[in-house]
Amino acid sequence: QITLLAVLDTWRDMKHLRGGLDHCAVRFLLAHKMLAFMGRVTRSAHPVASRDMCWALHSDSQQALCGVCVGDGAGWPEIRRLGLPLWCRSASILRGVAEALAKVQFRRNNEPEECALMYVALGKQSALLALYKATRNKKLA
């Protein structure tokens, strides 16, 4: 039943993309959806297998795949479970994911320390300084 739900959910996502995913991306997305449904049943998060990450690595539609797999509020555990930094070949996609992750980390507790590493790695020290000023942390601002 879980496999059937994963297949139907993947098919629904593919219909919305109107053929925006290639064969390799569909295989990765199907594995990701199956693990997500299994995680809901067992209440545990399992990482995507390395063989499935290879499918994502060989995909020509990685931008669409990232858009489907990584939601707006995805945190580091979700991105790590997907193995996204291992299979994403585009630096611009990784930068976008890292920026979104930094924003999510900051919004969680309004603590600039939570997202400082991401902003420094992206070379956005001015944005980090603005966050420290916005939180009125005069010692570090």
Side-chain angles (χ1 to χ4, degrees):
Q1 291 176 350
I2 292 173
T3 305
L4 182 61
L5 284 173
V7 169
L8 290 174
D9 196 38
T10 304
W11 183 67
R12 181 183 51 87
D13 286 345
M14 285 177 42
K15 254 184 114 171
H16 290 303
L17 291 172
R18 292 198 172 103
L21 296 177
D22 60 351
H23 177 71
C24 295
V26 170
R27 299 248 343 220
F28 176 80
L29 186 60
L30 184 60
H32 165 62
K33 295 284 185 178
M34 286 175 57
L35 284 174
F37 281 113
M38 286 295 290
R40 289 179 196 157
V41 172
T42 61
R43 290 179 173 57
S44 63
H46 298 288
V48 175
S50 58
R51 70 170 179 264
D52 299 321
M53 286 185 211
C54 288
W55 285 114
L57 178 67
H58 290 292
S59 173
D60 291 329
S61 55
Q62 288 187 344
Q63 186 169 7
L65 186 60
C66 285
V68 172
C69 291
V70 180
D72 291 334
W76 175 245
E78 292 88 12
I79 293 171
R80 182 178 175 207
R81 188 173 38 82
L82 284 171
L84 190 133
L86 297 174
W87 56 260
C88 186
R89 295 184 309 241
S90 172
S92 62
I93 293 173
L94 281 175
R95 281 187 164 275
V97 169
E99 284 182 41
L101 176 62
K103 289 176 184 177
V104 166
Q105 287 176 335
F106 177 72
R107 284 188 205 134
R108 190 177 307 139
N109 297 330
N110 282 345
E111 292 289 331
E113 290 85 13
E114 297 286 327
C115 62
L117 183 61
M118 286 292 167
Y119 280 119
V120 169
L122 290 168
K124 295 192 171 199
Q125 288 85 358
S126 59
L128 184 60
L129 181 63
L131 289 178
Y132 275 110
K133 285 182 181 179
T135 58
R136 294 189 173 91
N137 191 335
K138 304 234 186 268
K139 186 176 181 181
L140 293 173

